Amino acid sequence: MLPAPSGTAPREQPSHAVRDAFELVSSMRFAIALFVLICIASIIGTVVKQNEPYNNYVNQFGPFWAEAFGAVGLYAIYSTPWFLLILAFLVVSTSLCIARNAPKIVADLRSYKESVREQALMAFHHRAHGRLALAPDAALQRASALLASHGWQARAQVREGGTMVAARKGVANKLGYLAAHSAIVLICIGGLLDGDLIVRTQMALLGKSTYAGGGLIRDVAPQHRLSERNPTFRGNLLVTEGARAGVAVLNMSDGIVLQELPFDIELKKFKVDFYDTGMPKLFASDIVIHDRASGERKEATVKVNEPAFHRGVAIYQSSFDDGGSQLTVQALPMTAGGQRFPIESTVGGSTSLTNGDQKLTIEFTGLRVINVENLDSAGSADNSATDVRKVDLVSSLDKHLGSGAKTTKDKTLRNVGPSFSYKLRDASGQAREYNNYMLPVQMEGQSLFLAGVRDTPAEPFRYLRMPADDQGNLDGWLRLKAALANPALREQAARRYVALATPADKPQMADQLLVTAQRVLQLFAGSGAAQGATQSGLNALAQFIESTVPEAERTRISEVLLRILNGTLFELANLSREQAGVKPMTSDEASARFMQQAVLSLSDATFYPAPVLLQLSDFKQVQASVFQVARAPGQKLVYLGAALLIIGVFAMLYIRERRLWIWLQPDSGGGTRMRAALSTTRRTLDADAEFESLKTALLHDALPDEPATDEEAR
């Protein structure tokens, strides 16, 4: 072939390129490749939590990978442009594949393939031949009746030398191919309709944009709101008991969009039941739907998996939340010289707090009335009487804020009462989260108040465990903490301890013991900076021992100093009780337990990162329901696609297409020569058995075979 002239392109090249592109897009391998990509993306969307706060991903993956994963949209993978593009290509590819193969399948369904040559029947794996004593017409009638009784569809073609009977069975196998591929198209189209693609398209055409700020819903500008005529959406709606709302929130990858509903939902009553584990067993909402156009008032009950419907919008019970419960809180000082004061607020509200030059904001974020925890109710404390001055705290030198409950082998689940959570935010916007229990919790035979704190939502809470006094209150611990910060009371407690602890036969030890007791209390209180102490609590004692005592003597000196610390703190506690007009403690088991935990919690309080501790004293709960409202036109397509997919897969896997041919030819003796062959898509034992059964029925009275004629041999 001569080369084309310079500057002249072959005229067939564009058509070849278009044809090749069409062949590729409409091919099965291209559709399978797209389907694999969607499966991989779905796996990623399952493993990586979607639509979480960005800080959660930074904590999980680190700054570099968090930014890299965010750039490709892994945090909202089902609404990313590339995922929607793959989905659209899969629809196009599968549709073209159906369009290419449907005419061939329809033609094959109509055809009985009766034009097969009789000589070709002997080339099939399943074949049979023989001589029948019946005349050709009678043999044809018997074969037709046999096939009809076995469910075969048959057609006879009369030829010059005989009659060809073509039969078929299981043609629904090919319909399964069309059903399965059509199902993929319907499900993908339904997913595109019910996703945020339509919403984003409307936003682009109507000039709408997402909103990333805060504030009240009623203050959001119109450019961030979609019309109630929006054909498809899926959003959340929070309604407080006794209130009504009619604007849903649609979460987008870059903010939110508000969706106006054609009705308002009023929450009359929210109902919730719990399992013994504290998990919700049933929650439901009694609502009233107020139609804006007609003024219709419609009552309904919405439960999980039992939605209500109105104006083409489904209302699902999604979850529940706090609706602005009223809280009465006591702010307890954690620094020297502070005074307690009350705070009245609501969940979702905030209040300011001044700590010297530091400006803080308290944001009340939640109230949980029921808290079922796994705690050891039996306790593990020694039941024998213990001298509070001899409690061994050597192993506790390195302990500080810990978890709220210890794991036990035998689970003991019980409701420990209400708790509330709040955030303490500084002027720079940084915040820590706190979670405090209202009532004391029984742990290991002790009654403890738990005050939790964590730096980020990804961390578990660390709890400060403060012992309840003999009245079940926190006052005893707070009085001891305030007394520890008072130098005069520390001096008086040290002298009381020395007077009790000095042996009668060694009065000369009193002066040295007084100096040691004063020094130990000073270090524990964190007032020894001038002498080199940089910490407080048990860590200050540990630092002092490590810096001043030889290693060989540290264990013995630690035990001595800790006994002195316990004795002086016991006297300090009694001094604080005397000032408050409370009866002093005695050296019994209850006092020993209180003092042991008090020493630990006073040391732990060094690590509590707040100037005040908030204690819930009263509340009035207000509940709210979170509804998911959806207008989903693609839902019916998805249901139809799912049904077709089940039918199609069942047809392709469990229905076998079979073709049967029977050639009937008169022979010279007045009988009939017969040839039969079976074709099947898969060779199975069932196909072998079926053909053997047909063969036996067709040839049950066959005559002895004669040598084949020259024509038959050919």
Side-chain angles (χ1 to χ4, degrees), residues 54-123:
Y54 182 74
N55 289 338
N56 290 7
Y57 299 117
V58 174
N59 294 331
Q60 183 177 1
F61 303 117
F64 175 78
W65 288 111
E67 185 175 356
F69 292 159
V72 296
L74 296 190
Y75 308 143
I77 199 167
Y78 302 113
S79 60
T80 54
W82 58 265
F83 181 83
L84 297 176
L85 185 63
I86 292 175
L87 207 60
F89 263 107
L90 180 61
V91 171
V92 173
S93 175
T94 310
S95 300
L96 291 177
C97 189
I98 294 173
R100 286 183 60 189
N101 293 283
K104 301 176 185 177
I105 293 174
V106 171
D108 196 52
L109 291 174
R110 293 177 177 176
S111 172
Y112 284 81
K113 298 184 179 180
E114 64 270 25
S115 299
V116 173
R117 295 175 55 194
E118 59 271 19
Q119 293 87 353
L121 300 184
M122 291 297 99

Coordinates of all heavy atoms in Angstrom, one line a residue, residues 54-123:
Y54 N -12.9 18.1 60.8 CA -11.5 18.0 60.2 C -10.5 17.6 61.3 O -9.5 16.9 61.0 CB -11.2 19.2 59.5 CG -9.8 19.1 58.8 CD1 -9.7 18.4 57.6 CD2 -8.7 19.8 59.3 CE1 -8.4 18.3 57.0 CE2 -7.5 19.7 58.6 CZ -7.3 19.0 57.5 OH -6.1 18.9 56.9
N55 N -10.6 18.2 62.5 CA -9.6 17.9 63.5 C -9.6 16.4 63.9 O -8.5 15.9 64.2 CB -10.0 18.7 64.8 CG -9.7 20.2 64.6 OD1 -8.9 20.6 63.7 ND2 -10.3 21.0 65.4
N56 N -10.7 15.7 63.7 CA -10.7 14.3 64.0 C -9.8 13.5 63.0 O -9.0 12.6 63.4 CB -12.1 13.7 63.9 CG -13.0 14.2 65.1 OD1 -12.6 15.0 65.9 ND2 -14.1 13.6 65.2
Y57 N -9.8 14.0 61.7 CA -8.9 13.3 60.8 C -7.5 13.7 61.0 O -6.6 12.9 60.7 CB -9.4 13.8 59.4 CG -10.8 13.4 59.0 CD1 -11.8 14.3 58.7 CD2 -11.2 12.0 59.0 CE1 -13.1 13.9 58.4 CE2 -12.5 11.6 58.7 CZ -13.4 12.6 58.4 OH -14.7 12.2 58.1
V58 N -7.2 14.9 61.4 CA -5.8 15.3 61.7 C -5.3 14.5 62.9 O -4.1 14.0 62.8 CB -5.7 16.8 62.1 CG1 -4.3 17.2 62.6 CG2 -6.1 17.7 60.9
N59 N -6.1 14.2 63.9 CA -5.6 13.4 65.0 C -5.4 12.0 64.6 O -4.6 11.3 65.1 CB -6.7 13.5 66.1 CG -6.8 14.8 66.8 OD1 -5.8 15.6 66.8 ND2 -7.9 15.2 67.3
Q60 N -6.2 11.5 63.6 CA -6.1 10.1 63.2 C -5.0 9.8 62.2 O -4.3 8.8 62.3 CB -7.5 9.7 62.6 CG -7.5 8.2 62.2 CD -8.9 7.8 61.6 OE1 -9.8 8.6 61.5 NE2 -9.1 6.5 61.3
F61 N -4.9 10.7 61.2 CA -3.9 10.5 60.2 C -2.6 11.4 60.2 O -1.7 11.1 59.5 CB -4.6 10.7 58.8 CG -5.8 9.8 58.6 CD1 -7.0 10.4 58.4 CD2 -5.7 8.4 58.5 CE1 -8.1 9.6 58.2 CE2 -6.8 7.6 58.3 CZ -8.0 8.2 58.2
G62 N -2.7 12.4 61.0 CA -1.6 13.4 61.0 C -1.9 14.5 60.0 O -2.7 14.3 59.1
P63 N -1.2 15.6 60.2 CA -1.5 16.8 59.3 C -1.3 16.5 57.8 O -2.1 17.0 57.0 CB -0.5 17.9 59.8 CG -0.2 17.4 61.2 CD -0.2 15.9 61.2
F64 N -0.2 15.9 57.4 CA 0.1 15.7 56.0 C -0.9 14.8 55.3 O -1.5 15.2 54.3 CB 1.5 15.1 55.8 CG 1.8 14.8 54.4 CD1 2.2 15.8 53.5 CD2 1.7 13.4 53.9 CE1 2.5 15.5 52.2 CE2 2.0 13.1 52.6 CZ 2.4 14.1 51.7
W65 N -1.2 13.6 55.9 CA -2.1 12.7 55.2 C -3.5 13.2 55.4 O -4.4 12.9 54.5 CB -2.0 11.3 55.8 CG -0.7 10.6 55.4 CD1 0.4 10.3 56.1 CD2 -0.4 10.2 54.0 NE1 1.4 9.7 55.4 CE2 0.9 9.7 54.1 CE3 -1.0 10.3 52.8 CZ2 1.6 9.2 53.0 CZ3 -0.4 9.8 51.7 CH2 0.9 9.2 51.8
A66 N -3.9 13.9 56.4 CA -5.2 14.4 56.6 C -5.5 15.4 55.5 O -6.6 15.4 54.9 CB -5.4 15.1 57.9
E67 N -4.5 16.3 55.2 CA -4.7 17.2 54.1 C -4.7 16.5 52.7 O -5.5 16.9 51.8 CB -3.6 18.2 54.1 CG -3.7 19.4 53.1 CD -2.6 20.4 53.2 OE1 -1.8 20.3 54.2 OE2 -2.6 21.4 52.4
A68 N -3.9 15.5 52.5 CA -3.9 14.8 51.3 C -5.2 14.0 51.0 O -5.8 14.1 49.9 CB -2.7 13.8 51.3
F69 N -5.7 13.3 52.1 CA -6.9 12.6 51.9 C -8.1 13.6 51.7 O -9.0 13.3 51.0 CB -7.2 11.8 53.2 CG -6.2 10.6 53.3 CD1 -6.1 10.0 54.5 CD2 -5.5 10.1 52.2 CE1 -5.2 9.0 54.7 CE2 -4.7 9.1 52.4 CZ -4.5 8.5 53.6
G70 N -8.0 14.8 52.4 CA -9.1 15.7 52.2 C -9.1 16.3 50.8 O -10.2 16.7 50.2
A71 N -7.9 16.4 50.2 CA -7.8 17.0 48.8 C -8.5 16.1 47.8 O -9.0 16.6 46.8 CB -6.3 17.2 48.4
V72 N -8.5 14.8 48.0 CA -9.2 13.9 47.0 C -10.6 13.6 47.5 O -11.2 12.7 46.8 CB -8.3 12.6 46.8 CG1 -7.0 12.9 46.2 CG2 -8.1 11.9 48.2
G73 N -11.1 14.2 48.6 CA -12.4 14.0 49.0 C -12.8 12.7 49.7 O -13.9 12.3 49.6
L74 N -11.9 12.1 50.4 CA -12.2 10.9 51.1 C -13.1 11.0 52.3 O -13.6 10.1 52.8 CB -10.9 10.2 51.5 CG -9.9 9.8 50.4 CD1 -8.8 8.9 51.0 CD2 -10.6 9.0 49.3
Y75 N -13.3 12.3 52.7 CA -14.1 12.5 53.9 C -15.6 12.7 53.6 O -16.4 12.7 54.5 CB -13.6 13.7 54.7 CG -12.1 13.6 55.0 CD1 -11.3 14.8 55.0 CD2 -11.5 12.4 55.3 CE1 -9.9 14.7 55.3 CE2 -10.1 12.3 55.6 CZ -9.4 13.5 55.6 OH -8.0 13.4 55.9
A76 N -15.9 12.9 52.3 CA -17.2 12.9 51.8 C -17.2 12.3 50.4 O -17.6 12.9 49.4 CB -17.8 14.3 51.8
I77 N -16.9 11.0 50.4 CA -16.5 10.3 49.2 C -17.7 10.2 48.2 O -17.6 10.2 47.0 CB -15.8 9.0 49.5 CG1 -15.1 8.5 48.2 CG2 -16.8 8.0 49.9 CD1 -14.1 7.3 48.6
Y78 N -18.9 10.0 48.8 CA -20.1 9.7 48.0 C -20.6 11.0 47.3 O -21.5 10.9 46.4 CB -21.2 9.1 48.8 CG -20.7 7.8 49.5 CD1 -20.6 7.7 50.9 CD2 -20.4 6.7 48.7 CE1 -20.2 6.6 51.5 CE2 -19.9 5.5 49.3 CZ -19.8 5.5 50.7 OH -19.4 4.3 51.3
S79 N -20.1 12.1 47.6 CA -20.5 13.4 46.9 C -19.4 14.0 46.2 O -19.6 15.2 45.7 CB -21.1 14.3 47.9 OG -20.2 14.7 48.9
T80 N -18.2 13.4 46.1 CA -17.1 14.0 45.4 C -17.4 13.9 43.8 O -18.0 13.0 43.4 CB -15.8 13.3 45.7 OG1 -16.0 11.9 45.4 CG2 -15.4 13.5 47.1
P81 N -16.9 14.9 43.1 CA -17.1 14.9 41.6 C -16.6 13.6 40.9 O -17.3 13.1 40.0 CB -16.4 16.1 41.2 CG -16.4 17.0 42.4 CD -16.2 16.1 43.5
W82 N -15.5 13.1 41.3 CA -14.9 12.0 40.6 C -15.8 10.7 40.9 O -15.9 9.9 40.0 CB -13.5 11.7 41.0 CG -13.2 11.5 42.5 CD1 -12.8 12.4 43.4 CD2 -13.2 10.2 43.2 NE1 -12.6 11.9 44.6 CE2 -12.9 10.5 44.5 CE3 -13.6 8.9 42.8 CZ2 -12.8 9.5 45.5 CZ3 -13.5 7.9 43.8 CH2 -13.1 8.2 45.1
F83 N -16.3 10.6 42.1 CA -17.2 9.4 42.4 C -18.5 9.5 41.6 O -18.9 8.5 41.0 CB -17.5 9.3 43.9 CG -18.3 8.2 44.3 CD1 -17.8 6.9 44.5 CD2 -19.7 8.3 44.4 CE1 -18.5 5.8 44.8 CE2 -20.5 7.2 44.7 CZ -19.9 6.0 45.0
L84 N -19.1 10.7 41.5 CA -20.3 10.9 40.7 C -20.0 10.7 39.2 O -20.8 10.1 38.5 CB -20.9 12.3 41.0 CG -21.3 12.5 42.4 CD1 -21.8 14.0 42.6 CD2 -22.4 11.6 42.8
L85 N -18.8 11.1 38.8 CA -18.4 10.9 37.4 C -18.3 9.4 37.1 O -18.8 8.9 36.0 CB -17.1 11.6 37.1 CG -16.7 11.6 35.6 CD1 -17.7 12.4 34.7 CD2 -15.3 12.3 35.5
I86 N -17.7 8.6 37.9 CA -17.5 7.2 37.7 C -18.9 6.6 37.7 O -19.2 5.7 36.9 CB -16.7 6.6 38.9 CG1 -15.2 7.0 38.7 CG2 -16.7 5.0 38.8 CD1 -14.4 6.6 39.9
L87 N -19.8 7.0 38.6 CA -21.2 6.5 38.6 C -21.9 6.8 37.3 O -22.6 5.9 36.8 CB -21.9 7.1 39.8 CG -23.1 6.3 40.4 CD1 -22.5 5.0 41.0 CD2 -23.7 7.1 41.6
A88 N -21.7 8.0 36.8 CA -22.4 8.4 35.6 C -21.8 7.6 34.4 O -22.6 7.1 33.5 CB -22.2 9.9 35.3
F89 N -20.5 7.4 34.4 CA -19.9 6.5 33.3 C -20.4 5.1 33.4 O -20.6 4.4 32.3 CB -18.4 6.6 33.4 CG -17.7 7.6 32.5 CD1 -17.2 8.8 33.0 CD2 -17.7 7.4 31.1 CE1 -16.6 9.7 32.1 CE2 -17.1 8.3 30.3 CZ -16.6 9.5 30.8
L90 N -20.6 4.6 34.6 CA -21.1 3.2 34.7 C -22.5 3.1 34.2 O -22.8 2.1 33.5 CB -21.1 2.8 36.2 CG -21.6 1.4 36.5 CD1 -20.7 0.4 35.8 CD2 -21.6 1.1 38.0
V91 N -23.3 4.1 34.4 CA -24.7 4.1 33.8 C -24.6 4.1 32.3 O -25.3 3.4 31.6 CB -25.5 5.4 34.3 CG1 -26.8 5.5 33.6 CG2 -25.7 5.3 35.8
V92 N -23.7 5.0 31.7 CA -23.6 5.1 30.3 C -23.1 3.8 29.7 O -23.6 3.2 28.7 CB -22.7 6.3 29.9 CG1 -22.4 6.3 28.4 CG2 -23.3 7.6 30.3
S93 N -22.0 3.3 30.3 CA -21.4 2.0 29.8 C -22.4 0.9 29.9 O -22.5 0.1 28.9 CB -20.1 1.7 30.7 OG -19.6 0.5 30.3
T94 N -23.1 0.7 31.0 CA -24.0 -0.4 31.1 C -25.2 -0.3 30.2 O -25.7 -1.2 29.6 CB -24.5 -0.5 32.6 OG1 -23.4 -0.5 33.5 CG2 -25.3 -1.8 32.8
S95 N -25.6 1.0 30.0 CA -26.7 1.2 29.1 C -26.3 0.9 27.6 O -27.1 0.3 26.9 CB -27.2 2.7 29.2 OG -27.6 3.0 30.5
L96 N -25.1 1.3 27.2 CA -24.6 1.0 25.9 C -24.5 -0.5 25.7 O -24.7 -1.1 24.7 CB -23.3 1.7 25.6 CG -23.4 3.2 25.5 CD1 -22.0 3.8 25.3 CD2 -24.3 3.6 24.3
C97 N -24.0 -1.2 26.8 CA -23.8 -2.6 26.8 C -25.2 -3.3 26.5 O -25.3 -4.3 25.8 CB -23.2 -3.1 28.0 SG -22.7 -4.8 28.0
I98 N -26.2 -2.8 27.2 CA -27.5 -3.4 27.0 C -28.0 -3.1 25.6 O -28.6 -4.0 25.0 CB -28.5 -2.8 28.1 CG1 -28.1 -3.2 29.5 CG2 -30.0 -3.2 27.8 CD1 -28.9 -2.5 30.6
A99 N -27.8 -1.9 25.1 CA -28.3 -1.5 23.8 C -27.6 -2.4 22.7 O -28.2 -2.7 21.7 CB -28.0 0.0 23.5
R100 N -26.3 -2.7 22.9 CA -25.6 -3.6 22.0 C -26.1 -5.0 22.0 O -26.2 -5.6 20.9 CB -24.1 -3.6 22.3 CG -23.4 -2.3 21.9 CD -21.9 -2.4 22.2 NE -21.3 -3.5 21.4 CZ -20.1 -4.0 21.5 NH1 -19.3 -3.5 22.5 NH2 -19.7 -5.0 20.7
N101 N -26.4 -5.5 23.1 CA -26.7 -6.9 23.2 C -28.2 -7.3 23.2 O -28.5 -8.4 23.0 CB -26.0 -7.5 24.5 CG -24.5 -7.5 24.4 OD1 -23.9 -8.4 23.8 ND2 -23.9 -6.6 25.1
A102 N -29.0 -6.3 23.6 CA -30.4 -6.6 23.7 C -31.0 -7.1 22.3 O -31.8 -8.0 22.3 CB -31.2 -5.3 24.1
P103 N -30.7 -6.4 21.2 CA -31.3 -7.0 19.9 C -30.9 -8.4 19.7 O -31.7 -9.2 19.2 CB -30.7 -6.0 18.9 CG -30.4 -4.8 19.6 CD -30.0 -5.2 21.0
K104 N -29.6 -8.7 20.0 CA -29.2 -10.1 19.7 C -29.9 -11.1 20.7 O -30.3 -12.2 20.3 CB -27.7 -10.2 20.0 CG -26.8 -9.3 19.1 CD -25.3 -9.4 19.5 CE -24.5 -8.5 18.7 NZ -23.1 -8.5 19.1
I105 N -30.1 -10.6 21.9 CA -30.8 -11.5 22.9 C -32.2 -11.7 22.5 O -32.8 -12.8 22.5 CB -30.7 -10.9 24.3 CG1 -29.2 -11.0 24.8 CG2 -31.5 -11.7 25.3 CD1 -29.0 -10.3 26.1
V106 N -32.9 -10.6 22.1 CA -34.3 -10.7 21.7 C -34.4 -11.6 20.4 O -35.4 -12.4 20.4 CB -34.8 -9.3 21.4 CG1 -36.2 -9.3 20.8 CG2 -34.9 -8.5 22.7
A107 N -33.5 -11.4 19.5 CA -33.6 -12.3 18.3 C -33.3 -13.7 18.7 O -34.0 -14.6 18.1 CB -32.5 -11.8 17.3
D108 N -32.4 -14.0 19.6 CA -32.2 -15.3 20.1 C -33.4 -15.9 20.8 O -33.6 -17.1 20.7 CB -30.9 -15.4 20.9 CG -30.4 -16.7 21.1 OD1 -30.1 -17.4 20.1 OD2 -30.2 -17.2 22.3
L109 N -34.1 -15.1 21.5 CA -35.3 -15.6 22.2 C -36.4 -16.0 21.3 O -37.2 -16.9 21.5 CB -35.8 -14.5 23.2 CG -34.9 -14.2 24.4 CD1 -35.5 -13.0 25.2 CD2 -34.8 -15.4 25.3
R110 N -36.4 -15.2 20.1 CA -37.5 -15.6 19.1 C -37.1 -16.8 18.3 O -38.0 -17.4 17.8 CB -37.7 -14.4 18.2 CG -38.3 -13.1 18.9 CD -38.4 -12.0 18.0 NE -39.0 -10.8 18.6 CZ -39.2 -9.6 18.0 NH1 -38.7 -9.5 16.7 NH2 -39.8 -8.7 18.6
S111 N -35.8 -17.1 18.2 CA -35.4 -18.1 17.3 C -35.4 -19.5 18.0 O -35.0 -19.6 19.1 CB -34.0 -17.8 16.8 OG -33.4 -18.9 16.0
Y112 N -35.8 -20.5 17.2 CA -35.7 -21.9 17.7 C -34.5 -22.6 17.1 O -34.2 -23.7 17.4 CB -37.0 -22.7 17.3 CG -38.2 -22.3 18.2 CD1 -38.9 -21.2 18.0 CD2 -38.5 -23.2 19.3 CE1 -40.0 -20.9 18.8 CE2 -39.6 -22.9 20.1 CZ -40.3 -21.8 19.8 OH -41.4 -21.5 20.6
K113 N -33.8 -21.9 16.2 CA -32.6 -22.4 15.5 C -32.9 -23.8 14.8 O -32.2 -24.7 14.9 CB -31.5 -22.6 16.5 CG -31.0 -21.3 17.1 CD -29.8 -21.4 18.0 CE -29.4 -20.0 18.5 NZ -28.2 -20.1 19.4
E114 N -34.1 -23.8 14.2 CA -34.5 -25.1 13.5 C -33.8 -25.3 12.2 O -33.9 -26.4 11.6 CB -36.0 -25.1 13.3 CG -36.5 -24.0 12.3 CD -36.9 -22.7 13.0 OE1 -36.3 -22.5 14.1 OE2 -37.7 -21.9 12.5
S115 N -33.0 -24.3 11.8 CA -32.3 -24.5 10.5 C -31.0 -25.2 10.6 O -30.2 -25.3 9.7 CB -32.0 -23.1 9.9 OG -33.2 -22.4 9.6
V116 N -30.7 -25.8 11.8 CA -29.5 -26.6 12.0 C -29.4 -27.8 11.0 O -30.4 -28.5 10.8 CB -29.4 -27.1 13.4 CG1 -28.2 -28.0 13.6 CG2 -29.2 -25.9 14.4
R117 N -28.3 -28.0 10.4 CA -28.1 -29.2 9.5 C -28.2 -30.5 10.3 O -27.6 -30.6 11.4 CB -26.8 -29.1 8.7 CG -26.7 -27.9 7.8 CD -25.4 -27.8 7.2 NE -25.0 -29.1 6.5 CZ -23.8 -29.4 6.1 NH1 -22.8 -28.6 6.3 NH2 -23.6 -30.6 5.5
E118 N -28.9 -31.5 9.7 CA -29.0 -32.7 10.4 C -27.7 -33.4 10.6 O -27.5 -34.1 11.6 CB -30.0 -33.6 9.7 CG -29.6 -34.0 8.2 CD -30.1 -33.0 7.2 OE1 -30.5 -31.8 7.6 OE2 -30.2 -33.3 6.0
Q119 N -26.7 -33.2 9.7 CA -25.4 -33.9 9.8 C -24.6 -33.3 11.0 O -23.8 -34.0 11.6 CB -24.6 -33.7 8.6 CG -25.1 -34.5 7.4 CD -26.1 -33.7 6.6 OE1 -26.5 -32.6 7.0 NE2 -26.6 -34.2 5.4
A120 N -24.9 -32.1 11.4 CA -24.2 -31.4 12.5 C -24.6 -32.0 13.9 O -23.9 -31.7 14.9 CB -24.4 -29.9 12.5
L121 N -25.7 -32.7 14.0 CA -26.2 -33.2 15.3 C -25.2 -34.2 15.9 O -25.1 -34.3 17.1 CB -27.6 -33.8 15.1 CG -28.7 -32.8 14.6 CD1 -30.0 -33.5 14.6 CD2 -28.8 -31.5 15.5
M122 N -24.5 -34.9 15.1 CA -23.6 -35.9 15.6 C -22.3 -35.3 16.2 O -21.5 -36.1 16.8 CB -23.3 -37.0 14.5 CG -24.5 -37.8 14.1 SD -25.1 -38.9 15.4 CE -26.5 -37.9 16.0
A123 N -22.1 -34.0 16.0 CA -20.9 -33.4 16.6 C -21.1 -32.9 18.0 O -20.2 -32.4 18.7 CB -20.5 -32.2 15.7

